[in-house]
Structure formats: structure tokens, C-alpha cells
Amino acid sequence: MTAGSPDPAVSWLNWVIRLRAESCLTGTVQATVSPSGPGPIAEIAWVVGTPWQGRGIAAEAAQGLVDWLNRLPVHTVIAHIHPEHRASAAVATAAELTPTDEWHEGEIRWRRSISR
């Protein structure tokens, strides 16, 4: 992971989530940015440790990640979420992604188009 993607056209972007008030790491957010026809696409994901879940940390981190990606030439942001994982659906909604009719390995593809 630290060496980066073996494909030079693909960028792996990874951050840890640090809770300032408690001075601890609580999770991660990540984006894989790949070339596509209309422009680069970013596939995002997030993980927050069990003791910190339910506090809006993942939503804030995902929103920050998508806002950061919005400053790049990224055309589309996607995430894959299990249909029964309501917490992750709420995080995706907070980051302004919407569910599509597309499925990938048992998960629903969520998408946000970024207009330029």
C-alpha cells in the first residue's frame, strides 16, 4: 500500500482519521483515482473503529474527502455499499452520493457526478 498502485495511471490516496479531542486515531478514508472516458473516477471507502461509531465521524471524514476530490479533475465519485448497511448508506448520503441501480459483488454502487 505504501508503494502505491502498480499502475502509474491509478492513484491510491489514504488518510487516517484522527480525533483531536481524544488525541487518537479512529479510522481511515481512502480513494482510488483511475482514468475513465469522461474524466478521472474516484472510488472511495471509509472505516471507523467500533468505539467511535455513531458519532458522525465517518460522515464528516467522507464529506471532507469528497470536498477534497472536488478540487481535483475528478469527474465521478463512487462507493459500494451493502444494501443492509444503513450506517454506510447514511455516510454516503452525507457525502452527497446517491444509490444507483448498479450492483458490484453484492453491493449497491453509489455515485456522485462532479460537474465542471
Side-chain angles (χ1 to χ4, degrees):
M1 186 167 87
T2 58
S5 170
D7 181 346
V10 175
S11 297
W12 290 348
L13 310 169
N14 299 281
W15 293 268
V16 295
I17 303 169
R18 180 176 174 268
L19 202 59
R20 286 186 196 151
E22 297 176 25
S23 189
C24 64
L25 303 179
T26 62
T28 62
V29 289
Q30 60 191 49
T32 299
V33 180
S34 306
S36 73
I41 188 167
E43 184 169 346
I44 65 171
W46 51 85
V47 176
V48 171
T50 305
W52 299 281
Q53 292 177 0
R55 297 168 55 177
I57 294 168
E60 182 178 346
Q63 287 170 335
L65 173 59
V66 171
D67 289 346
W68 186 84
L69 290 167
N70 193 36
R71 295 191 297 265
L72 301 179
V74 169
H75 180 270
T76 304
V77 176
I78 62 171
H80 296 100
I81 300 171
H82 190 279
E84 295 177 15
H85 202 290
R86 290 183 299 213
S88 281
V91 171
T93 300
E96 299 180 23
L97 279 74
T98 55
T100 69
D101 293 334
E102 300 172 59
W103 288 75
H104 176 75
E105 297 182 5
E107 296 180 322
I108 298 171
R109 178 172 286 165
W110 288 60
R111 178 184 314 265
R112 175 178 169 180
S113 295
I114 299 174
S115 58
R116 303 269 174 229

